[in-house]
Amino acid sequence: ASCLQLRNKSMPAGTLHEAGSMLREACRDEGVPFIVNDDAALATELGAEGVHLGEDDGDIDSVRMLLGDGAIIGVSCYDDIERARALVARGADYIAFGAFFPSPTKPHARRASPDLLRLAATLGVPRVAIGGITADNARPLIAAGADLLAVISGVFDAPDPVAAARAYLSCFEDSTTA
């Protein structure tokens, strides 16, 4: 993983904090940035490198003041290039588009087109593709400009999560030799 995001909407706060602490240490040991989804205060408590914000999770300016200039702040842009432009102008460090495919995590998510990844190339920040991504359908997203793939069930529901993660990585390796 090039980054790990703590995201669990149903876990009790105490358990989430405990899990976050363990994940933060594991990420630190491996040199992997640790991001908290939706909750800048929890990101601060855990010493996370950053936070990922959805459309109702606070504004970049407030989060930047709380986490500091060096924090990674990513934002969900769904299917909206104008939202991406505005949030990059506000200081977003990366932008996420999706869902590109049906997702068990968010079955009713807005659907995005790979063209958004191409359009966002001029924004100068990493582009993340999310939503129903598998090792079998990832390559067209990478070809369209996805710098990163956000996956949950594709790894964590796999019989062999390590092999699943390697399969995603191979999608990027294949794209650099094509």
Side-chain angles (χ1 to χ4, degrees):
S2 48
C3 181
L4 183 88
Q5 182 183 125
L6 173 63
R7 181 186 190 280
N8 190 317
K9 306 262 185 181
S10 62
M11 189 178 281
T15 308
L16 187 63
H17 193 282
E18 184 179 334
S21 294
M22 289 187 291
L23 287 169
R24 173 66 191 105
E25 290 308 311
C27 286
R28 182 173 286 143
D29 291 347
E30 295 299 321
V32 173
F34 177 65
I35 308 291
V36 173
N37 188 65
D38 297 344
D39 191 336
L42 180 59
T44 301
E45 290 172 27
L46 294 174
E49 279 79 18
V51 67
H52 182 89
L53 303 173
E55 62 191 340
D56 300 319
D57 298 329
D59 67 278
I60 292 175
D61 295 328
S62 299
V63 171
R64 183 72 66 200
M65 285 181 22
L66 182 64
L67 296 180
D69 289 337
I72 300 167
I73 300 177
V75 293
S76 293
C77 297
Y78 311 100
D79 60 350
D80 188 345
I81 190 66
E82 293 308 318
R83 177 176 167 76
R85 285 186 180 114
L87 292 172
V88 168
R90 300 288 313 220
D93 296 302
Y94 71 84
I95 50 179
F97 293 105
F100 286 97
F101 305 101
S103 168
T105 305
K106 288 188 175 183
H108 304 293
R110 290 175 251 182
R111 296 296 291 276
S113 162
D115 289 336
L116 286 168
L117 297 165
R118 288 183 192 90
L119 287 170
T122 61
L123 298 179
V125 297
R127 295 159 287 168
V128 180
I130 189 168
I133 300 169
T134 67
D136 293 329
N137 65 22
R139 284 174 181 80
L141 299 174
I142 295 166
D147 299 295
L148 299 162
L149 303 174
V151 295
I152 300 172
S153 57
V155 171
F156 294 103
D157 290 350
D160 183 345
V162 172
R166 286 186 180 130
Y168 284 102
L169 181 59
S170 75
C171 294
F172 285 98
E173 292 168 350
D174 293 347
S175 73
T176 61
T177 59

